[in-house]
Amino acid sequence: GAMHRLGMAKANNAKIFHASTSEVYGDPTVHPQPESYRGHVNPIGLRACYDEGKRAAETLMFDYHRMHGVDIRVARIFNTYGPRMRPDDGRVVSNFIVQALRNESLTIYGDGSQTRSFCFVDDLVEGLIRLMDSEPEFTGPVNLGNPGEFSMLALADAVIRETDSGSATVFKPLPEDDPMQRRPDISLAQEMLDWRPQVELKEGLARTVTYFRDLI
Ligand code: UDP
């Protein structure tokens, strides 16, 4: 897919955006993760098709840029959430909110000490627009994410508070190769795009809960 899009971008002299991911850092040993960190990915694990697929797509972007001068923009997107996620999306924010609103137990995988940094969708969209409007020399990759870092236990507490739910928590097995920690270093985005997230987790959760209350 990435190669076909690059072929089209080259033929049409178009600017091309690649939605890369924090998953290129795998289970990171450097914390927080700057763009210069090359990552720690298990190439044969359960998540490998996603992680390595995204890494290979970045490689193609930069090869087309070097060989054919294609105007590329690569963002490494960290966990993003907000209204219009699907209730059965399976990711942690939507799972917890839907479970809390239905008074079901919140499913915590592992011991819940693993961390993620959650970016509200509006902040991400603003970052993407700024990236596409930035000077042509700026290819990225650039981290786009909220540096606020939370354990899944803390997220569960925050969701229960925000929904005013009587839900309990239940512990389930941790999926294979689930990263232990994740937090973007956003210095590059601040410097090049004058961007940093504006919506804190509490406010973003409130807006997302409102959406799911109406939906389910
Ligand atoms: N997770 C969880 N309960 C769920 C869904 C996910 O505890 O119902 C955990 C998952 O194991 C991971 C974290 O929440 O450690 C974020 O998972 P998600 O799939 O949302 O994003 P990703 O792992 O791709 O960062």
Side-chain angles (χ1 to χ4, degrees):
M3 202 147 72
H4 286 133
R5 289 194 305 118
L6 279 160
M8 282 183 72
K10 181 185 162 199
N12 294 288
N13 207 15
K15 192 177 341 183
I16 181 168
F17 169 66
H18 176 54
S20 189
T21 168
S22 54
E23 290 278 328
V24 300
Y25 301 123
D27 190 6
T29 54
V30 169
H31 195 71
Q33 295 82 54
E35 290 83 355
S36 55
Y37 177 51
R38 294 184 186 178
H40 184 226
V41 171
N42 172 5
I44 58 166
L46 263 186
R47 301 168 87 96
C49 56
Y50 185 68
D51 300 1
E52 299 289 20
K54 288 289 199 179
R55 288 169 67 94
E58 285 198 13
T59 305
L60 288 169
M61 291 286 148
F62 280 84
D63 282 345
Y64 270 74
H65 176 66
R66 275 186 294 262
M67 287 190 67
H68 305 300
V70 172
D71 186 0
I72 59 164
R73 306 299 158 98
V74 177
R76 291 182 179 157
I77 299 172
F78 284 63
N79 298 62
T80 301
Y81 71 99
R84 292 192 282 279
M85 287 180 94
R86 288 175 51 146
D88 60 353
D89 178 283
R91 278 177 293 173
V92 69
V93 174
S94 43
N95 274 11
F96 282 1
I97 291 177
V98 169
Q99 289 161 344
L101 291 175
R102 291 180 175 154
N103 283 313
E104 296 166 2
S105 295
L106 274 58
T107 50
I108 296 177
Y109 301 163
D111 65 6
S113 64
Q114 72 272 33
T115 66
R116 294 292 186 275
S117 301
F118 298 103
C119 187
F120 190 66
V121 61
D122 293 13
D123 282 331
L124 177 73
V125 169
E126 177 64 28
L128 295 177
I129 291 170
R130 288 183 187 215
L131 173 60
M132 295 315 282
D133 288 345
S134 65
E135 53 199 64
E137 298 75 39
F138 186 57
T139 56
V142 61
N143 289 337
L144 293 179
N146 190 319
E149 183 181 359
F150 298 87
S151 70
M152 296 313 102
L153 286 173
L155 178 71
D157 278 350
V159 168
I160 286 172
R161 261 200 312 275
E162 205 52 59
T163 49
D164 214 5
S165 167
S167 286
T169 49
V170 61
F171 292 89
K172 302 261 178 169
L174 188 68
E176 189 184 306
D177 290 337
D178 199 275
M180 260 317 290
Q181 53 180 1
R182 184 182 286 155
R183 174 184 186 170
D185 178 332
I186 60 164
S187 317
L188 185 66
Q190 281 185 282
E191 182 194 337
M192 297 303 294
L193 310 176
D194 192 22
W195 176 85
R196 65 167 301 122
Q198 305 297 317
V199 182
E200 295 303 330
L201 184 68
K202 189 175 168 19
E203 184 195 337
L205 281 182
R207 286 160 71 175
T208 311
V209 166
T210 302
Y211 169 78
F212 277 112
R213 259 193 221 285
D214 292 344
L215 186 75
I216 64 175

